[in-house]
């Protein structure tokens, strides 16, 4: 390669530097190609310059830009030089054809001094005698070729070659930079678009959790779609009636409609019937079951051909995407009435993708709404259930308290002798009878009244608004009349009646729940008075008198139907940490009042004398469980049973244990009877006698709640006791410096001396547990170890702890 002269080098640098500066301001490849070709002609004095760029296939080149210099002479023989744009002259050159194809294939520049001597020259212009072609390369990647031809032999020089090569290199770098930036911008745009879609999909998926009604759901769905495409006019349509009609649960239309379902009633447009011979545009898309992007001219053509009809105005662009199958089929539609925004294929693809998720969300929301209905309504009668009734009752009660309404009344209704119907004819007949009774009651009520099924054969009615004593009586008497007599069920004439208890609001009313309880008590009084009548609740001097009536009334029935259940609280050995026993605690699973704890019913049963029967019930339950659990209970396991003062003194109690001992001594020896200090005081002689009998039967006895009531250390050696259960009040103060801690320590030491084991109750913290172990208690129980458990949970707890 020859060396350029100093002047040529300077001139080449000036041209390339200026070119480099100029193309900094250019933003597109086309602008650069054009400027390159023009700059070559103007600055290097070439007759022409043409830029060829690589085609997509990578095997041909196409003319991209071109300029040529033409000289014309005036009449006075002066000359004018004109540079013309020849970019429009299209030509495609394969690799290896002619000078340009050879340069593209070899990626090497060619300076041809005499074109006539170049093998494979493609003759385009007979006046061309020399040619210069330079590849445009970026990191060995071919972008194109710069080509120039001249009519004179040996026109192009080393200076031309080097300058053109430098310009080609600068061009390649700038073009590559633009391509990278454009590519990056496209990636960013696509990423942002994908993120927008992703956010919309997440939002749509969450709508079932963030919205409470179908109206809220559709409104939020509209907002989601509006964030990813133009959705000023939006509606959702669903196929109903086995595909015979279209319903519109949500629609917003700027020209024809603007009616959001504010009341969540699910009715927007009127239903549209689907007639295959006369389809609306929505019905057409649903029938074809594929997405449609239609512009005004498309819609007009289909209207002219009577393929469909339009309700309302013709949109400039209409985009609808069906979703779902069968009973869950529907369509989501967006439309534009302005040419400022016309949906594109991209929007169609987007909505098609999103529609699947819309379908899933609608299905989930519908299922959720159904579950909510089932959660608040009775499945047999579709009436509000106890939960919904109590909510409405609470609202009415608050309105009365705030003087927004004058009064309310609760009617508690129980179907008389309903159990006999079920036992005689079967539950399916009983269910149909309940439905018939509900229909009869409904005919007597006002639109403002609420009838609910509380469970089984119990119903309640909320009367609120403007009511007085006469109105309440009139409604109640109408109910009794409507439900008295015979109902025809499956060809059977079944007599029925109801008993009704009534409670009304007064300034002295404690709460809405108390009103319901009062009405329930009044209903029981109606039952006791002979049924088929109603009774108003009257507050009695003794607050618990009505409760007593109910508990006493239900007790025998509860024993017969095994409504009393056991909860089992584990007892652990402090030394080993093993579960060596449990205390069985009574609970009443009342069919009307729910789960009752002993502090509610034990005092009532003690006063009525029915407590002895409950003691025997729980003792039998304990014995039966010891037999059933024999395979998995630890060898020295004991089950503690609480027995009342009356129960422990009862001969029936002792007789049962003696009988069971004869039948299975191994079972009864696993029992531990827990008695209170009151038992020792009130029936000392009988208790001492029975303690001796239990000792002979190898049945352990524990003194419960030691430290309360008549606490006396003398009991510890006067009576044959095996365990001393320390009251929770001592355990609560165990980590404080107090006299109780000193007393506890003394009691534990005295009990050890008398060979009586001590049990600490109510252990709730690790600190209490550690302190009691340190003091020397033998056994412990409390929530820190385990709360009272159902039998299945207790078995799991014991076996897991053993493992």
């Amino acid at each position: 390669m020859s060396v350029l002269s100093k002047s040529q080098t300077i001139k080449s640098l000036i041209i390339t530097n200026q070119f480099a500066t100029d193309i900094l301001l250019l933003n597109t490849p086309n602008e650069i190609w054009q400027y390159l070709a023009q700059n070559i002609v103007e600055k290097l004095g070439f007759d022409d310059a043409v830029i060829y760029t690589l085609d997509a296939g990578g095997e041909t080149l196409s003319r991209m830009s071109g300029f040529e210099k033409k000289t014309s002479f005036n009449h006075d023989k002066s000359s004018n030089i004109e540079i013309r744009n020849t970019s429009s002259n299209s030509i495609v050159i394969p690799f290896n054809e002619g000078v340009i194809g050879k340069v593209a294939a070899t990626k090497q520049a060619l300076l041809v001094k005499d074109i006539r001597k170049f093998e494979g020259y493609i003759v385009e212009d007979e006046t061309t005698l020399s040619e210069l072609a330079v590849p445009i390369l970026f990191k060995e990647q071919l972008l194109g070729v710069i080509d120039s031809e001249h009519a004179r032999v040996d026109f192009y020089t080393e200076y031309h070659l080097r300058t053109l090569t430098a310009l080609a290199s600068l061009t390649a770098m700038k073009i590559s930079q633009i391509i990278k930036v454009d590519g990056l911008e496209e990636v960013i745009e696509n990423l942002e678009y994908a993120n927008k879609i992703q956010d919309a999909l997440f939002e749509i998926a969450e709508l079932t959790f963030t919205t409470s009604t179908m109206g809220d759901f559709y409104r939020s769905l509209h907002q989601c779609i509006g964030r990813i495409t133009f959705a000023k006019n939006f509606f959702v349509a669903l196929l109903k009636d086995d595909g015979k009609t279209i319903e519109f649960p949500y629609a917003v239309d700027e020209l024809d409609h603007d009616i959001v379902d504010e009341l969540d009633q699910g009715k927007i447009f009127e239903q549209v019937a689907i007639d295959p011979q006369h389809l609306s545009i929505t019905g057409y898309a649903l029938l074809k079951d594929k997405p449609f992007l239609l512009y005004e001219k498309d819609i007009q053509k289909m209207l002219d051909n009577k393929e469909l009809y339009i309700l309302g105005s013709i949109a400039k662009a209409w985009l609808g995407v069906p979703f779902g199958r069968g009973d869950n089929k529907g369509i989501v539609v967006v439309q534009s009435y302005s040419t400022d925004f016309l949906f594109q294929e991209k929007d169609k693809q987007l909505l098609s993708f999103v529609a699947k998720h819309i379908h899933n969300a609608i299905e989930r929301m519908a299922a959720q709404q159904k579950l909510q209905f089932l959660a608040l309504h009775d499945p047999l009668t579709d009436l509000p259930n106890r939960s919904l009734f109590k909510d409405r009752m609470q609202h009415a009660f608050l309105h009365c308290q705030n003087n927004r309404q004058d009064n309310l009344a609760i009617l508690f209704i129980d179907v008389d002798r309903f159990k006999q119907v079920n036992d005689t004819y079967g539950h399916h007949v009983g269910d149909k009878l309940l439905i018939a009774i509900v229909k009869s009651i409904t005919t007597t009520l006002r639109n403002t009244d609420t009838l609910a099924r509380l469970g089984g054969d119990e119903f309640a009615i909320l009367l609120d608004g403007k009511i007085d004593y006469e109105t309440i009586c009139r409604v109640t008497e109408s109910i009794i009349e409507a439900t008295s007599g015979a109902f025809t069920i499956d060809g059977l004439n079944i007599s029925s009646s109801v008993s009704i208890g009534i409670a009304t609001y007064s300034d002295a009313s404690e709460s809405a729940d108390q009103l319901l309880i009062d009405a329930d008590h009044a209903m029981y009084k109606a039952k006791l008075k002979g049924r088929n009548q109603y009774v108003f609740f009257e507050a009695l001097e003794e607050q618990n008198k009505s409760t007593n009536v109910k508990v006493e009334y239900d007790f025998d029935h509860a024993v017969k139907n095994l409504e009393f259940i056991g909860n089992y609280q584990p007892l652990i050995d402090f030394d080993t940490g093993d579960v060596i026993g449990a205390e069985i605690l009574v609970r009443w699973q009342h069919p009307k009042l729910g789960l009752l704890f002993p502090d509610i019913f034990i005092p009532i049963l003690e006063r009525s004398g029915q407590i002895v029967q409950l003691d025997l019930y729980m003792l039998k339950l304990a014995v039966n469980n010891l037999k059933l659990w024999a395979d998995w209970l630890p060898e020295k396991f004991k089950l503690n049973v609480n027995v009342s003062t009356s129960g422990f003194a009862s001969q029936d109690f002792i007789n049962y244990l003696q009988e069971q001992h004869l039948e299975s001594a191994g079972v009864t020896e696993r029992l531990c009877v827990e008695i209170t200090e009151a038992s020792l005081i009130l029936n000392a002689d009988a208790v001492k006698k029975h303690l001796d009998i239990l000792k002979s039967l190898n049945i352990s006895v524990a003194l419960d709640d030691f430290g309360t009531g008549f606490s006396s250390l003398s009991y510890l050696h006067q009576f044959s006791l095996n365990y001393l259960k320390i009251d929770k009040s001592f355990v609560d103060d165990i980590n404080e410096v107090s006299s109780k801690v000193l007393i506890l320590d003394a009691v534990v030491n005295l009990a050890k001396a008398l060979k009586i084991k001590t049990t600490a109750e109510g252990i709730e913290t690790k600190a209490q547990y550690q302190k009691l172990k340190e003091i020397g208690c033998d056994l412990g129980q409390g929530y820190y170890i385990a709360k009272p458990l159902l039998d299945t949970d207790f078995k799991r707890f014991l076996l897991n702890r053993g493992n």
Side-chain angles (χ1 to χ4, degrees), residues 366-514:
Q368 182 176 308
Q369 292 284 300
K370 185 175 181 180
L371 287 174
Q372 287 179 353
F373 180 86
L374 292 175
L376 297 174
H377 292 79
D378 168 55
L380 177 66
T381 61
D382 284 342
L383 292 176
N385 62 12
R386 180 184 291 268
S387 177
L388 181 54
F389 181 78
K390 291 181 74 172
D391 182 68
R392 293 183 180 177
M393 187 174 63
Q394 180 67 28
H395 281 292
F397 187 84
L398 291 175
H399 285 170
C400 286
Q401 284 189 320
N402 298 329
N403 297 319
R404 295 174 62 183
Q405 69 182 53
D406 297 330
N407 198 5
L408 70 86
I410 304 297
L411 277 59
F412 201 108
I413 303 173
D414 185 271
V415 179
D416 297 329
R417 301 183 180 86
F418 180 72
K419 186 176 183 300
Q420 295 178 13
V421 175
N422 278 338
D423 292 343
T424 305
Y425 303 109
H427 287 275
H428 67 287
V429 172
D431 288 346
K432 290 182 179 180
L433 175 61
L434 290 180
I435 293 172
I437 290 173
V438 166
K439 290 180 178 178
S440 296
I441 294 175
T442 303
T443 61
T444 68
L445 301 179
R446 305 166 303 165
N447 292 334
T448 56
D449 301 330
T450 298
L451 170 64
R453 185 186 183 198
L454 303 183
D457 61 335
E458 291 184 338
F459 300 87
I461 296 173
L462 169 64
L463 305 178
D464 64 350
K466 294 184 177 181
I467 57 170
D468 51 23
Y469 181 82
E470 288 73 20
T471 302
I472 297 169
C473 291
R474 185 173 63 253
V475 170
T476 307
E477 289 165 3
S478 297
I479 293 171
I480 288 178
E481 182 180 353
T483 55
S484 298
F487 289 88
T488 301
I489 308 293
D490 290 347
L492 301 169
N493 288 327
I494 301 175
S495 298
S496 179
S497 64
V498 297
S499 297
I500 303 176
I502 306 168
T504 59
Y505 176 84
S506 70
D507 292 338
S509 298
E510 296 178 9
S511 66
D513 287 341
Q514 187 59 49

Side-chain angles (χ1 to χ4, degrees), residues 668-788:
T668 55
E669 287 173 4
R670 285 178 174 268
L671 288 171
C672 177
V673 175
E674 290 191 17
I675 60 175
T676 63
E677 293 174 26
S679 300
L680 304 179
I681 298 297
L682 300 178
N683 276 300
D685 294 336
V687 167
K688 194 171 188 315
K689 176 184 174 184
H690 288 174
L691 282 174
D692 292 337
I693 293 173
L694 293 185
K695 186 175 182 180
S696 68
L697 300 177
N698 287 325
I699 296 175
S700 301
V701 177
L703 183 61
D704 197 12
D705 299 330
F706 184 84
T708 63
F710 310 95
S711 298
S712 174
L713 296 177
S714 62
Y715 301 149
L716 302 184
H717 61 81
Q718 286 182 19
F719 298 97
S720 301
L721 300 172
N722 304 99
Y723 296 89
L724 183 66
K725 298 196 72 174
I726 299 166
D727 186 71
K728 184 179 183 298
S729 61
F730 285 88
V731 175
D732 290 341
D733 301 328
I734 193 71
N735 292 308
E736 298 177 9
V737 178
S738 68
S739 58
K740 284 188 177 181
V741 178
L742 298 175
I743 294 171
L744 177 60
D745 188 67
V747 169
V748 170
N749 289 325
L750 177 59
K752 286 185 181 297
L754 296 173
K755 297 185 174 6
I756 299 174
K757 291 189 175 184
T758 52
T759 303
E761 296 179 293
I763 303 172
E764 294 182 351
T765 67
K766 183 177 181 181
Q768 291 172 347
Y769 182 96
Q770 294 294 348
K771 187 67 176 178
L772 289 164
K773 183 177 181 180
E774 180 183 317
I775 287 174
C777 280
D778 300 295
L779 309 178
Q781 70 181 109
Y783 273 50
Y784 175 72
I785 300 162
K787 65 181 181 179

Side-chain angles (χ1 to χ4, degrees), residues 265-289:
Q265 294 177 343
K267 296 179 181 179
I268 303 296
F269 297 163
E270 292 184 3
Q271 286 187 345
V272 176
I274 291 187
D275 179 358
Q277 306 303 318
H278 188 58
L279 290 168
S280 67
I281 188 170
T282 305
Y284 181 86
L286 280 167
L287 190 66
K288 296 294 183 182
D289 196 26

Side-chain angles (χ1 to χ4, degrees), residues 103 150 244 286 320 385 405 537 552 786:
V103 170
H150 201 276
K244 295 177 183 177
L286 280 167
N385 62 12
Q405 69 182 53
F537 175 83
E552 293 170 24

